[in-house]
């Protein structure tokens, strides 16, 4: 599976935008870019995913570079509830990966009041 | 529409006992995944099941661990003769049928196993 690289940690202030980067230079043409987050003492939670075009949903936006070698998860106005570990994961249904998510270390996001 | 239901939420066992963790997937979901998260560590894939079939158990420890997803009822992760190193949070996830890179997994709240 293609790997992703994320910063270990980031900090933000409440109500400010947060841009969480992810590098995936070995991404293949059929890899989807998924973001999940895990709040303290909870199970992982789906945030957003995309293939080539930028995506928006009620939780966040996903900006995908034109060459697809990197992407950025954007939280438009961080709240204290957004403090979590954010995981950027590539998912390809081909081969043996089907729907299996492989979690890396993720980015620990701290939100200050 | 209930999400992925896991029980028990907390389980305490003594060394050598058996632990059984149950997972009911979301309605309409036929794929189940189990993950383990050791204290202060990341999430590790254990096993992927469809109804009555184990598709990928590459992350399962070779001994003492088994999983099933019967035709009726929840998926069960069974740990025999537990040891202290089995203490962890065990998360179950489910997804709809079909193979796609766009598949979204829905996770349960987890079962936290403590081995005394």
């Amino acid at each position: 599976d293609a790997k992703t690289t994320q910063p270990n940690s980031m900090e933000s202030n409440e109500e400010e935008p947060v841009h969480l980067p992810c590098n995936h230079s070995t991404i293949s043409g059929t890899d989807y870019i998924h973001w999940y987050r895990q709040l303290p003492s909870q199970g992982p939670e789906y945030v957003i995913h995309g293939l080539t075009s930028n995506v928006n949903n009620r939780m966040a936006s996903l900006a995908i570079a034109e060459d697809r070698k990197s992407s950025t998860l954007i939280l438009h106005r961080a709240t204290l509830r957004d403090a979590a570990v954010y995981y950027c994961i590539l998912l390809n249904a081909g081969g043996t990966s089907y729907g299996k998510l492989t979690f890396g270390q993720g980015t620990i996001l701290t939100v200050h009041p | 529409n209930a999400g992925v239901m896991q029980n028990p939420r907390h389980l305490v066992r003594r060394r050598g006992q058996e632990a059984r963790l149950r997972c009911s997937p979301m309605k309409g979901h036929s794929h189940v995944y189990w993950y383990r998260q050791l204290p202060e560590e990341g999430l590790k894939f254990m096993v992927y099941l469809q109804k009555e079939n184990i598709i990928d158990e590459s992350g399962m420890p070779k001994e003492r661990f088994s999983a099933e997803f019967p035709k009726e009822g929840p998926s069960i992760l069974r740990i025999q003769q537990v040891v202290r190193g089995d203490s962890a949070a065990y998360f179950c996830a489910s997804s709809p049928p079909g193979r796609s890179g766009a598949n979204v997994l829905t996770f349960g709240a987890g079962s936290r196993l403590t081995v005394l």
Side-chain angles (χ1 to χ4, degrees):
Chain A
D1 290 331
K3 289 188 175 180
T4 63
T5 304
Q6 300 178 250
N8 288 334
S9 62
M10 291 187 64
E11 297 187 17
S12 173
N13 294 319
E14 204 173 6
E15 298 191 5
E16 290 184 355
V18 181
H19 290 230
L20 296 165
C22 180
N23 287 321
H24 28 77
S25 58
T26 59
I27 191 171
S28 75
T30 52
D31 282 333
Y32 282 75
I33 302 160
H34 286 249
W35 284 82
Y36 283 75
R37 71 180 184 181
Q38 186 175 22
L39 279 64
S41 301
Q42 295 189 29
E45 175 186 33
Y46 166 78
V47 178
I48 200 167
H49 76 279
L51 184 60
T52 57
S53 303
N54 294 344
V55 184
N56 299 296
N57 66 22
R58 63 174 182 80
M59 289 181 70
S61 296
L62 176 59
I64 301 173
E66 197 168 334
D67 63 6
R68 302 210 323 127
K69 293 184 185 298
S70 65
S71 61
T72 302
L73 178 70
I74 302 165
L75 306 178
H76 296 285
R77 290 181 69 220
T79 69
L80 296 177
R81 196 194 171 278
D82 291 321
V85 182
Y86 286 78
Y87 298 97
C88 169
I89 304 168
L90 301 182
L91 189 60
N92 190 319
T96 59
S97 61
Y98 35 81
K100 179 174 79 176
L101 299 173
T102 300
F103 288 85
Q105 292 305 307
T107 297
I108 300 171
L109 175 64
T110 301
V111 180
H112 299 289
Chain B
N1 183 16
V4 175
M5 304 302 292
Q6 290 189 249
N7 65 82
R9 291 293 309 278
H10 300 275
L11 182 64
V12 178
R13 286 287 179 265
R14 297 190 180 279
R15 280 179 297 169
Q17 292 184 318
E18 179 180 285
R20 284 190 181 226
L21 309 178
R22 288 176 291 279
C23 169
S24 295
M26 281 188 69
K27 189 175 180 180
H29 287 192
S30 57
H31 297 198
V32 166
Y33 308 78
W34 285 93
Y35 285 79
R36 177 166 70 170
Q37 188 167 36
L38 294 167
E40 306 303 321
E41 292 192 17
L43 289 144
K44 302 296 183 188
F45 168 80
M46 299 182 74
V47 63
Y48 161 48
L49 310 104
Q50 296 178 17
K51 286 282 187 183
E52 300 184 282
N53 281 307
I54 297 174
I55 307 302
D56 180 352
E57 56 182 347
S58 59
M60 288 280 269
K62 294 285 185 279
E63 297 176 346
R64 303 185 298 106
F65 285 72
S66 63
E68 63 176 7
F69 188 16
K71 187 176 179 181
E72 301 290 337
S75 174
I76 306 240
L77 179 67
R78 181 183 179 203
I79 312 171
Q80 294 179 288
Q81 299 175 338
V82 297
V83 301
R84 288 212 174 108
D86 297 332
S87 295
Y90 293 83
F91 294 99
C92 170
S94 70
S95 69
R99 268 172 73 146
S100 166
N103 253 11
V104 170
L105 269 60
T106 302
F107 284 81
S111 291
R112 282 155 181 80
L113 172 66
T114 301
V115 179
L116 301 177

